[in-house]
Amino acid sequence: MEAALIAELRRRIGPHPLLRLGIGDDAAVLRTAGLPDTVLTVDLLTEGVDFRLSEATPQRIGRKALAVNLSDLAAMASQPLAAVVALALPRQGGFELALGLYEGMIPLAEQFHVAIAGGDTNSYEGPLVVSVTLLGTVTEAGPLTRSGARPGDRILVTGAFGGSILGRHFDFTPRVHEALQLIRTFRIHAGIDASDGLSLDLARLCQESGCGAEVALDRIPIHRDAYRLAEHLADGSSPLDHALADGEDFELILAVPPQQAQQLIAQQPLGVPLTDIGQFLETPGLWHRGAEGLRPLPARGYEHPFT
Amino acid sequence: MEAALIAELRRRIGPHPLLRLGIGDDAAVLRTAGLPDTVLTVDLLTEGVDFRLSEATPQRIGRKALAVNLSDLAAMASQPLAAVVALALPRQGGFELALGLYEGMIPLAEQFHVAIAGGDTNSYEGPLVVSVTLLGTVTEAGPLTRSGARPGDRILVTGAFGGSILGRHFDFTPRVHEALQLIRTFRIHAGIDASDGLSLDLARLCQESGCGAEVALDRIPIHRDAYRLAEHLADGSSPLDHALADGEDFELILAVPPQQAQQLIAQQPLGVPLTDIGQFLETPGLWHRGAEGLRPLPARGYEHPFT
């Protein structure tokens, strides 16, 4: 990382109880001895796919780069601890851009008590790429994984889905506290965050758990952004289509034993609504119940195109 | 990460005693409870700056992406444990490219007992960007840092310098074992790896330690690649110039108390030569001794240009 940027970041990023050695050396040293097992995740955002510099400030982009990682730790019901940041910056305006990205990250890091532990900042002939790695720890209740859903479990989701492209994909609140609260008190079998699309991420959870899912389409919480987007686009996609496939909702999708689910739905212990949208099945695949019984539900969402 | 790539990587990357949960979930879970403090570092390589796909195989690039991080942990005299990998891939040929990068990383990871714990693989309209984050632990001797050099300490370096662009910048051996061996038996005050240039990185170490350094130019171990490069380029740069400024040597620069340094030079306990190239001074800055006493030595090397 460049000397001037390191100096500026050292000024802006305060000390953190976890950091024995922070920004500026070859690596950061974190006080983790005595803590439970470590959780490690990385997410990379690229100009043109995850954001456009012409449409979003560097601050919002920086915030999102950290927030998507926090959402991954929420999906594991883990406690975030520290982040390192790698930037590939376009040569022109790179310094200001880097500062703006960090300006967006720092308040979110503070909100979740995450130490920004270091980074690597490069300039090159290419679009902006932001990669954030987040370190956390599992709690006593252990990590939540994608592989524990069992037939008969209810499908519970936080919040509402669809139309995040209207702005929520930048400004969402990662469900870290909600996941930690849930796993402390209730038995949750499996979980994933809805990053690429409700139906696609639910299908991934099913696949890792070796089961299927029946979704009650009339019970899916549709965000008002999904209605606005459907109206705006007028391409034949319904608000429900957007809720199922848009992605970047960063809500939790959970597999919960029926009795626990009933309690959760009745108590609504989180600040955000919990909704029961169906149940896990022995039969693999995604399904919904039509007039003629179970019908396949396509798993739709964003997948990076490779060739 | 794409399903097909995850499946392929799961097949190729074996189990690791540290990994409770590896590639495929929202984050990796690592058995670190009971281990000493954690060290975290990230390095990002970009097409056109750190490599050219037209000149290097994906395997060599992947190896380098992990090796530069291992070198950072060597500079901290820390034990590498696990890595996560974030890729921004060009759309065309991205899948094969990703596999090639991992093919280059896996043998090096195995050699250093590093678990490849997960990653994020994206495609976009841009050049290849490879970001590797490496997690390690400090040993009982504690981390080596940049800030402990004291006036009177000798400057010791491993290996030889200059001309790494001829191929060594891909195929170097990170000095992880050497650093761990040194710190176990000897008192080392400070260290850094020569990534951007011997003189520039020595200047950084001096700055963090609040001291200066006098370099004996006639004792710098000059790699034969530096001679070859000087002859090939014939631009007036001497082999010594290349040794001082080329960078990507990934050798260790160490601050060692005089008696310890004398022992080390006499014993040569590493498989790679250790050379005494001068001493640290109270006076800030880099210096060398000419006929008329101390003369300033410019700190030269690679710095990312920002505007």
Side-chain angles (χ1 to χ4, degrees), chain A residues 2 10 20 24-26 28 30 32 37-41 44 91 93 120 122-123 133 146 193 304-307, chain B residues 2 20 24-26 28 30 32 37-41 44 91 93 120 122-123 133 146 193 208 304-307:
Chain A
E2 291 313 286
R10 278 178 167 175
R20 281 182 56 192
D25 216 301
D26 293 290
L30 299 152
T32 54
D37 283 342
T38 288
V39 186
L40 197 60
T41 188
L44 179 144
R91 294 246 156 88
D120 187 27
N122 301 348
S123 63
T133 306
R146 297 183 179 182
D193 65 323
H304 280 278
F306 281 107
T307 51
Chain B
E2 291 314 285
R20 283 183 53 192
D25 216 299
D26 293 289
L30 299 153
T32 54
D37 283 341
T38 287
V39 185
L40 197 60
T41 189
L44 180 144
R91 294 247 156 87
D120 187 27
N122 300 349
S123 62
T133 305
R146 296 182 180 183
D193 65 322
E208 292 300 317
H304 279 280
F306 281 109
T307 50

Side-chain angles (χ1 to χ4, degrees), chain B residues 62-180:
Chain B
R63 185 194 183 279
K64 178 175 180 175
L66 178 56
V68 296
N69 278 284
L70 287 166
S71 185
D72 279 327
L73 283 210
M76 309 289 292
S78 296
Q79 178 71 51
L81 293 179
V84 287
V85 179
L87 304 177
L89 298 161
R91 294 247 156 87
Q92 204 64 29
F95 190 86
E96 282 304 310
L97 187 51
L99 279 187
L101 291 164
Y102 273 97
E103 275 170 9
M105 253 175 253
I106 291 169
L108 190 68
E110 288 174 349
Q111 187 185 338
F112 285 91
H113 307 291
V114 169
I116 294 181
D120 187 27
T121 306
N122 300 349
S123 62
Y124 81 136
E125 300 289 341
L128 174 62
V129 176
V130 185
S131 168
V132 174
T133 305
L134 191 58
L135 181 86
T137 56
V138 300
T139 64
E140 277 180 20
L144 192 62
T145 70
R146 296 182 180 183
S147 61
R150 297 175 208 168
D153 282 351
R154 304 302 308 179
I155 310 166
L156 262 53
V157 296
T158 58
F161 294 79
S164 68
I165 192 75
L166 295 181
R168 241 162 62 243
H169 73 112
F170 283 115
D171 307 320
F172 67 95
T173 301
R175 301 303 184 195
V176 172
H177 299 311
E178 289 78 4
L180 288 169

Side-chain angles (χ1 to χ4, degrees), chain B residues 88-295:
Chain B
L89 298 161
R91 294 247 156 87
Q92 204 64 29
F95 190 86
E96 282 304 310
L97 187 51
L99 279 187
L101 291 164
Y102 273 97
E103 275 170 9
M105 253 175 253
I106 291 169
L108 190 68
E110 288 174 349
Q111 187 185 338
F112 285 91
H113 307 291
V114 169
I116 294 181
D120 187 27
T121 306
N122 300 349
S123 62
Y124 81 136
E125 300 289 341
L128 174 62
V129 176
V130 185
S131 168
V132 174
T133 305
L134 191 58
L135 181 86
T137 56
V138 300
T139 64
E140 277 180 20
L144 192 62
T145 70
R146 296 182 180 183
S147 61
R150 297 175 208 168
D153 282 351
R154 304 302 308 179
I155 310 166
L156 262 53
V157 296
T158 58
F161 294 79
S164 68
I165 192 75
L166 295 181
R168 241 162 62 243
H169 73 112
F170 283 115
D171 307 320
F172 67 95
T173 301
R175 301 303 184 195
V176 172
H177 299 311
E178 289 78 4
L180 288 169
Q181 190 185 337
L182 284 175
I183 203 161
R184 220 170 17 236
T185 323
F186 295 90
R187 207 146 48 82
I188 314 289
H189 280 163
I192 191 171
D193 65 322
S195 51
D196 293 331
L198 171 56
S199 57
L200 180 58
D201 288 312
L202 176 58
R204 286 171 176 160
L205 195 157
C206 286
Q207 192 167 5
E208 292 300 317
S209 293
C211 65
E214 176 189 344
V215 179
L217 294 181
D218 57 342
R219 280 196 261 141
I220 288 176
I222 301 173
H223 199 281
R224 60 188 149 80
D225 288 342
Y227 290 95
R228 284 172 57 206
L229 188 61
E231 192 177 320
H232 176 74
L233 292 179
D235 63 355
S237 290
S238 68
L240 178 63
D241 292 332
H242 285 290
L244 285 168
D246 278 0
E248 303 221 303
D249 305 294
F250 299 107
E251 297 292 351
L252 296 172
I253 308 172
L254 304 164
V256 186
Q259 278 199 321
Q260 297 274 299
Q262 220 173 349
Q263 276 184 41
L264 275 167
I265 294 298
Q267 290 179 17
Q268 292 291 336
L270 309 177
V272 57
L274 270 168
T275 310
D276 181 326
I277 64 162
Q279 66 176 334
F280 289 92
L281 306 176
E282 217 154 318
T283 319
L286 288 194
W287 308 88
H288 71 103
R289 196 166 292 275
E292 291 143 37
L294 284 185
R295 303 289 302 262

